[in-house]
C-alpha cells in the first residue's frame, strides 16, 4: 500500500498484467515514443506519460508505437484480440472514436455474438475523455454514453486511482471488449493503492458515502465533486448517499435502486450530454423501477447540450461542479 | 471551585476513521456516571459501537446532537464534577472549540500509529504496534486482519505494548500461505516476533488466531506469558462450514454482507465499509488461494480437523477463554469442560466477533488478566 496517482495506478496495472500474461501488449500513438528515430527512446509514454517506462521493461515487441491512424491500429488490436492476444490499445482522445467506430461497433462488439461464443475479443481500448483541459471541442467530450449504448461492449469509468487500477486489471482479464475511459483531469489525483494486483468485478457500484436524505449517482470525475457537495450539505444537516457505478455497462441497477428506494430522491451527475446520456438513463431506471418511492422529480446535473467551449470562462461554466450538485440536492429535498 | 472538567471527544476506531456520527445517548445530562460506563452510541461507515465514559463525574453537557457527524477529536460531551458552575462548562466548551478551530489545519491527528511491514523469515509481514508496557500480541481470525482489533488495540495500548500482525494470506502481509497449517501460521508469527525482538508476550487470539496463538504457545513455550483465546478454533469439531465456503467465494457486497452479519449477534453493527474493506482485501491476487489453503488445512467436510483441546493441559502459563454465547460460527459450547485452571468468560448477547460486539467488557477482561499476570513475580 502506498500513495499513487491515477496515472501511476494505471501504469502499475499495465505493468503487473504484462508481467503476469505474455499475451498482453500495448498499442497506440507514442505509447513509448521514439520508434524508428535516432533520438530519445520511450520519450513520451503517451501524451500524458501514462505508459512511460513500459517499453524499456517489455520491449518494442510488446509496446507498439503506431502510425497516426486509429482506424488501422484499433482494427489491428481487435484482430489481434480475436486471434489470441490481449491488446490494450490507446485511443488518445475519446473524440477520435469517429475514425475507428466501425471496428469497435461492428467488429469488436459483435464477433462473440455472431460466432455463437466461439470467438472472443479480449481487447481494451484505453481512452481519455472529459472537459477542463482547455483542449476545445474535439478533445474534450465525454462520450462513454455512446459506447454504453452498444451491446457487446463493456464500459468502465473509474473515479479514483484505486478504482482505476482494479478496473483496468479486470478489463485486461475480461474476455469481452472493454472501453476504459480515463478523465484527463484525474491523472494527478492521489490516494492509497495496494501494490499487488487486484481485480474489481464489473457491474458493482461503490457506495462512497451513506445518507438517507438523497441519493447522488455520479460518474468519473463527477464522483469527487459529488462527495464535496455531500460534505458541504452534511454540514447543513442534509445527508446524501454518493454512489459511483464504476462501470456503465454492465450497470449495477440493484444497488442504485436500493438507495433510491431508501431516500426517495435521486440526483444524477453526468459529464456526458443531457440527451441520451447516462443521466437520462439513470433517471429512466428510477422512474421505471422505483417510481413509487420517489418523493421528488429526479434531478439531472449535466453540461448543456452544446459542444465543449474553448473559451476558458465558458468551459468552466460548462462542466458541472459541486455547487451545481448541491443546488440540485437542495431542490429535490425541497430546501431551495 | 476548581473542579475537574473533562472533554469527551470523538474516538478513532481504526486507521481509516476520520469522523463519526452520534446515534444515541445512553445517558442524560445531569446523570452521574462512572468511568467505563456506556455513554454514547457512535456510528462510522464501518461499524456502530458504544463509547464509554473516559472519566467519572457528572455528564454536564451533551455537546453533539443526535445525528451529528463530528471529526475524530471533536467535542462530544463534557464531564465535570457537580460543583462546577454552568458558566465554567460554557467557557470550557467555547475554549475547546476555539482551540481546535485554530489548530485544525496543522493538527493532522498527532501522528497516529501507522502499520509497518518488514521481511520476517523471508516473508513480508505487516503489523501495527502501539503503546508501551508488557508486550501483548493480538492474532486475528480467518479472513481478518489487524483491523479486527480496532476496538481492542487502542484501549490495551494505554497500558501495554500491543502488536497486531496480519497473518500470512491476510491484510497487508504476504499472500503466500504455505501449507495453510496452524504450524505454518504459528511459525510465521514466531518469525515476526523474533524480527521485532519480542521475546515474552501475552498472546491474545481470535478464532483461527486463537488456535495459532495456542499452537505458538505449544511450539515455543518460552514465548508465551499468558494466553487469551477468544472464540478459538481447535476446541471442538463443530464449525459453520457454510460461512467459511461462502466467505471464500463471495465477491460482491450483496453476497458477503449476510455472511459478515453472521459474525455478530447484532447485525446492525456492520457498516457498509466493513464489508467493502473485506471485499477490497479478498480481491487482491493470491487471497482466494490462501484462504482456500488455510480453510483446507483446518477444516474438512464441514468439521474442524485440528484438535487442540487435549493439548491445553500442556500449557503452563495462565489461560483464559472468552466466548460470545450467540456465536454462530464456532459454538460457545466449546468453552465447556475445559481444565479447571482455565478461566472462562461467556458473554451474553454477543456473537463470534465478541471483541468488537462487547469491546468494553472484553477489553476489561483482557486488561485485568494480563495486569494480574504481569505483576506476578
Amino acid at each position: 500500500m502506498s500513495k499513487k496517482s491515477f496515472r501511476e495506478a494505471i501504469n502499475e496495472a499495465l505493468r503487473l498484467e504484462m508481467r503476469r500474461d505474455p499475451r498482453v501488449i500495448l498499442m497506440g500513438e507514442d505509447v513509448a515514443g521514439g520508434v524508428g528515430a535516432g533520438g530519445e527512446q520511450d520519450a513520451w509514454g503517451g501524451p500524458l506519460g501514462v505508459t512511460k517506462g513500459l517499453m524499456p521493461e517489455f520491449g518494442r515487441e510488446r509496446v507498439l508505437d503506431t502510425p497516426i491512424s486509429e482506424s488501422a491500429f484499433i482494427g489491428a488490436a481487435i484482430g489481434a484480440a480475436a486471434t489470441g492476444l490481449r491488446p490494450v490499445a490507446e485511443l488518445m482522445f475519446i473524440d477520435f472514436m469517429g475514425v475507428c467506430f466501425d471496428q469497435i461497433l461492428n467488429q469488436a462488439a459483435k464477433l462473440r455474438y455472431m460466432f455463437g461464443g466461439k470467438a472472443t475479443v479480449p481487447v481494451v481500448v484505453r481512452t481519455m475523455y472529459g472537459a477542463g483541459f482547455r483542449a476545445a471541442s474535439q478533445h474534450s467530450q465525454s462520450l462513454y454514453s455512446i459506447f454504453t449504448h452498444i451491446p457487446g461492449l463493456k464500459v468502465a469509468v473509474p473515479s479514483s486511482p484505486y478504482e482505476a487500477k482494479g478496473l483496468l486489471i479486470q478489463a485486461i482479464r475480461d474476455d469481452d471488449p472493454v472501453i476504459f475511459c480515463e478523465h484527463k483531469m484525474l491523472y494527478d489525483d492521489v490516494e492509497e493503492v495496494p501494490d499487488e494486483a487486484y481485480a474489481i468485478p464489473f457491474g458493482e457500484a461503490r457506495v462512497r458515502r451513506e445518507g438517507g436524505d438523497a441519493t447522488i449517482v455520479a460518474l468519473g470525475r463527477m464522483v469527487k465533486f459529488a462527495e464535496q457537495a455531500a460534505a458541504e450539505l452534511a454540514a447543513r444537516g442534509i445527508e446524501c448517499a454518493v454512489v459511483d457505478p464504476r462501470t456503465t455497462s454492465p450497470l449495477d441497477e440493484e444497488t442504485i435502486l436500493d438507495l433510491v428506494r431508501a431516500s426517495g430522491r435521486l440526483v444524477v451527475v453526468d459529464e456526458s450530454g443531457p440527451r441520451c446520456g447516462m443521466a437520462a438513463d439513470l433517471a429512466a431506471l428510477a422512474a421505471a423501477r422505483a417510481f413509487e418511492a420517489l418523493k421528488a422529480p429526479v434531478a439531472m446535473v449535466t453540461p448543456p447540450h452544446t459542444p465543449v467551449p474553448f473559451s476558458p470562462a465558458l468551459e468552466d461554466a460548462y462542466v458541472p461542479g459541486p455547487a451545481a450538485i448541491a443546488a440540485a440536492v437542495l431542490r429535490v429535498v425541497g430546501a431551495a | 471551585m476548581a473542579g475537574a472538567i473533562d472533554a469527551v471527544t470523538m474516538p478513532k476506531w481504526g486507521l481509516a476513521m476520520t469522523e463519526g456520527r452520534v446515534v444515541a445517548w445512553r445517558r442524560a445530562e445531569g446523570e452521574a456516571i462512572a468511568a467505563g460506563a456506556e455513554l454514547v452510541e457512535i456510528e462510522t461507515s464501518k461499524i456502530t459501537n458504544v463509547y464509554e465514559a473516559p472519566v467519572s463525574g457528572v455528564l454536564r453537557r451533551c455537546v453533539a446532537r443526535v445525528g451529528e457527524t463530528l471529526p475524530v477529536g471533536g467535542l462530544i460531551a463534557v464531564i465535570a464534577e457537580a460543583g462546577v458552575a454552568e458558566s465554567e462548562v460554557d467557557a470550557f466548551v467555547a475554549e475547546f472549540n476555539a482551540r481546535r478551530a485554530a489548530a485544525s489545519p496543522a493538527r493532522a491527528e498527532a501522528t497516529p500509529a501507522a502499520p509497518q511491514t518488514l521481511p520476517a523469515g523471508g516473508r513480508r509481514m505487516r503489523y501495527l504496534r502501539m503503546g508501551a508496557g508488557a508486550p501483548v500480541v493480538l492474532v486475528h481470525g480467518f479472513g481478518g486482519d489487524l483491523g479486527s482489533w480496532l476496538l481492542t488495540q487502542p484501549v490495551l495500548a494505554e497500558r501495554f505494548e500491543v502488536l497486531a500482525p496480519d497473518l500470512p494470506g491476510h491484510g497487508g502481509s504476504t499472500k503466500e500461505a504455505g501449507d495453510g497449517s496452524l504450524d505454518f501460521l504459528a511459525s510465521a508469527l514466531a518469525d515476526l516476533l523474533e524480527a521485532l525482538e519480542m521475546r515474552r508476550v501475552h498472546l491474545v487470539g481470535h478464532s483461527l488466531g486463537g488456535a495459532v496463538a495456542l499452537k505458538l504457545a505449544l511450539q515455543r513455550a518460552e514465548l508465551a506469558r499468558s494466553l487469551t483465546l477468544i472464540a478459538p478454533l481447535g476446541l471442538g469439531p463443530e464449525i459453520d462450514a457454510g460461512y467459511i465456503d461462502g466467505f471464500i467465494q463471495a465477491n460482491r457486497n450483496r453476497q458477503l454482507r449476510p455472511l459478515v452479519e453472521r459474525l455478530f449477534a447484532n447485525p446492525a453493527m456492520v457498516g457498509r465499509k466493513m464489508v467493502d474493506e473485506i471485499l477490497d482485501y479478498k480481491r487482491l491476487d493470491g487471497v482466494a488461494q490462501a484462504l482456500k489453503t488455510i480453510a483446507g488445512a483446518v477444516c474438512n467436510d464441514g468439521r474442524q480437523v485440528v484438535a487442540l483441546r487435549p493439548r491445553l493441559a500442556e500449557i503452563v502459563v495462565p489461560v483464559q477463554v472468552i466466548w460470545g454465547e450467540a456465536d454462530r460460527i464456532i459454538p460457545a459450547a466449546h468453552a465447556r469442560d475445559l481444565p479447571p485452571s482455565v478461566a472462562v468468560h461467556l458473554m451474553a448477547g454477543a456473537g463470534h466477533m465478541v471483541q468488537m460486539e462487547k469491546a468494553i467488557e472484553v477489553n476489561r477482561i483482557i486488561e485485568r488478566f494480563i495486569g494480574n499476570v504481569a505483576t506476578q513475580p
Side-chain angles (χ1 to χ4, degrees):
Chain A
M1 206 80 158
S2 59
K3 291 212 185 265
K4 294 177 185 114
S5 70
F6 194 88
R7 175 187 286 106
E8 288 163 342
I10 291 171
N11 184 284
E12 189 167 271
L14 293 168
R15 189 183 299 275
L16 291 172
E17 290 309 290
M18 290 181 82
R19 283 180 188 162
R20 176 177 179 269
D21 185 345
R23 296 172 300 172
V24 178
I25 62 163
L26 304 188
M27 301 172 73
E29 293 153 6
D30 284 331
V31 288
V35 72
E40 185 186 348
Q41 299 298 298
D42 196 34
W44 289 98
L48 295 182
V50 175
T51 49
K52 200 163 173 60
L54 297 176
M55 190 279 284
E57 177 169 350
F58 300 103
R60 292 276 179 202
E61 288 270 292
R62 294 181 66 195
V63 181
L64 293 109
D65 282 343
T66 66
I68 307 177
S69 172
E70 286 78 10
S71 54
F73 79 80
I74 294 293
I78 290 165
T83 51
L85 295 179
R86 304 187 85 87
V88 180
E90 182 173 303
L91 177 60
M92 190 181 286
F93 292 98
I94 200 169
D95 315 70
F96 304 163
M97 67 186 277
V99 290
C100 56
F101 205 34
D102 183 68
Q103 289 82 338
I104 295 171
L105 160 75
N106 279 322
Q107 310 306 326
K110 302 296 190 286
L111 291 184
R112 180 169 176 179
Y113 183 81
M114 293 179 72
F115 285 93
K118 290 179 182 167
T120 56
V121 187
V123 69
V124 180
V125 177
R126 284 185 46 240
T127 186
M128 277 193 276
Y129 76 97
F133 210 60
R134 309 294 184 237
S137 302
Q138 298 161 322
H139 304 78
S140 302
Q141 299 170 81
S142 296
L143 299 173
Y144 46 77
S145 293
I146 294 183
F147 293 111
T148 306
H149 185 72
I150 299 167
L153 298 179
K154 291 176 178 171
V155 184
V157 189
S159 61
S160 77
Y162 177 87
E163 306 292 358
K165 181 174 170 183
L167 289 169
L168 183 54
I169 288 174
Q170 175 59 38
I172 293 170
R173 295 180 187 179
D174 202 290
D175 279 341
D176 288 317
V178 178
I179 311 297
F180 190 84
C181 304
E182 302 166 15
H183 199 296
K184 52 181 94 66
M185 300 299 282
L186 290 180
Y187 283 119
D188 293 320
D189 283 17
V190 170
E191 72 179 344
E192 289 285 342
V193 177
D195 300 326
E196 300 128 299
Y198 56 96
I200 297 172
F202 287 170
E204 185 180 68
R206 166 87 77 175
V207 179
R208 300 194 60 102
R209 183 186 182 102
E210 295 185 282
D213 294 325
T215 302
I216 308 175
V217 181
L219 285 159
R221 187 191 184 198
M222 296 296 120
V223 172
K224 66 175 179 180
F225 290 165
E227 287 185 295
Q228 286 168 23
E232 287 160 21
L233 290 163
R236 303 171 57 172
I238 297 167
E239 296 290 345
C240 299
V242 175
V243 191
D244 171 10
R246 302 201 277 207
T247 54
T248 56
S249 184
L251 179 68
D252 183 355
E253 299 181 351
E254 292 313 315
T255 297
I256 295 167
L257 287 168
D258 283 351
L259 289 161
V260 171
R261 290 187 184 115
S263 71
R265 296 182 175 92
L266 174 62
V267 173
V268 286
V269 191
D270 178 16
E271 197 182 324
S272 71
R275 302 295 317 283
C276 300
M278 280 310 298
D281 189 74
L282 293 164
L285 176 73
R289 306 253 316 265
F291 184 75
E292 69 292 347
L294 290 175
K295 298 172 185 161
V298 177
M300 303 205 303
V301 181
T302 69
H305 188 59
T306 85
V308 181
F310 186 46
S311 147
L314 289 178
E315 186 179 17
D316 291 345
Y318 170 94
V319 179
I325 298 166
V329 171
L330 291 174
R331 274 204 312 281
V332 300
V333 301
Chain B
M1 264 319 300
I5 307 183
D6 286 286
V8 181
T9 60
M10 183 60 71
K12 185 169 175 63
W13 291 332
L15 303 166
M17 178 171 169
T18 56
E19 59 181 27
R21 195 166 74 93
V22 172
V23 180
W25 289 97
R26 291 285 178 96
R27 297 305 184 97
E29 278 185 7
E31 275 187 66
I33 47 179
E38 298 190 350
L39 180 63
V40 57
E41 254 177 71
I42 293 170
E43 177 193 83
T44 73
S45 49
K46 184 166 175 172
I47 194 169
T48 302
N49 189 49
V50 178
Y51 188 49
E52 56 189 306
V55 295
S56 300
V58 175
L59 176 57
R60 294 296 299 273
R61 192 69 53 86
C62 298
V63 179
R65 301 179 269 110
V66 167
E68 188 174 358
T69 299
L70 291 176
V72 169
L75 188 63
I76 299 176
V78 177
I79 294 175
E81 288 167 14
V84 173
E86 278 296 298
S87 59
E88 287 180 72
V89 174
D90 289 339
F92 180 85
V93 172
E95 193 193 332
F96 186 98
N97 286 332
R99 207 178 286 168
R100 233 185 107 75
S104 214
R107 203 173 146 274
E109 286 180 32
T111 56
Q116 315 280 318
T117 52
L118 57 68
R123 289 175 213 100
R124 187 183 76 241
M125 292 290 282
R126 186 180 76 148
Y127 61 92
L128 179 62
R129 197 178 195 179
M130 53 171 84
V136 178
V137 179
L138 307 175
V139 191
H140 65 76
F142 181 76
D145 64 11
L146 56 86
S148 305
W149 305 104
L150 83 169
L151 301 178
T152 317
Q153 192 176 15
V155 176
L156 296 184
E158 288 168 17
R159 286 185 61 187
F160 310 114
E161 179 192 16
V162 189
L163 178 81
D166 291 338
L167 290 171
H170 291 80
S173 289
T174 174
K175 301 305 176 294
E176 299 288 337
D179 63 1
S181 66
L182 295 179
D183 277 321
F184 169 80
L185 297 172
S187 314
L189 184 53
D191 289 343
L192 176 66
L193 297 180
E194 173 86 37
L196 293 173
E197 300 187 341
M198 296 177 79
R199 311 219 187 279
R200 257 173 87 61
V201 299
H202 298 272
L203 290 166
V204 178
H206 172 244
S207 195
L208 171 74
V212 172
L214 179 50
K215 199 74 178 185
L216 181 60
L218 289 165
Q219 275 181 0
R220 304 276 301 275
E222 77 287 357
L223 260 175
R225 284 205 72 184
S226 76
L227 200 50
T228 296
L229 305 175
I230 304 174
L233 198 81
L235 299 188
E238 293 83 10
I239 188 163
D240 180 353
Y243 169 82
I244 305 289
D245 295 343
F247 184 90
I248 294 170
Q249 277 158 29
N251 195 26
R252 304 278 167 144
N253 190 296
R254 211 168 276 283
Q255 299 161 341
L256 187 59
R257 167 167 276 276
L259 294 165
V260 176
E261 286 179 350
R262 229 191 274 181
L263 296 169
F264 294 81
N266 172 18
M269 271 192 88
V270 178
R272 177 176 282 275
K273 196 164 184 179
M274 186 187 294
V275 180
D276 278 344
E277 282 180 3
I278 298 171
L279 280 175
D280 289 348
Y281 149 71
K282 275 174 48 61
R283 288 170 181 162
L284 294 170
D285 275 10
V287 167
Q289 189 52 52
L291 290 176
K292 263 183 225 161
T293 305
I294 293 168
V298 297
C299 292
N300 185 28
D301 212 13
R303 313 283 279 177
Q304 296 188 37
V305 295
V306 285
L308 295 175
R309 176 179 283 261
R311 304 201 58 191
L312 267 181
E314 298 170 38
I315 305 287
V316 295
V317 294
V319 181
Q320 67 171 352
V321 169
I322 303 171
W323 224 301
E325 283 181 350
D327 193 325
R328 287 182 274 179
I329 308 299
I330 304 177
H334 291 187
R336 281 193 212 127
D337 304 325
L338 294 170
S341 60
V342 176
V344 175
H345 303 270
L346 288 176
M347 315 294 290
H352 192 60
M353 298 301 285
V354 57
Q355 81 276 26
M356 283 189 174
E357 219 159 359
K358 295 286 166 196
I360 296 169
E361 292 90 332
V362 170
N363 290 341
R364 229 174 265 146
I365 290 168
I366 297 173
E367 262 175 2
R368 205 178 307 134
F369 181 71
I370 293 176
N372 285 342
V373 176
T375 53
Q376 282 163 12

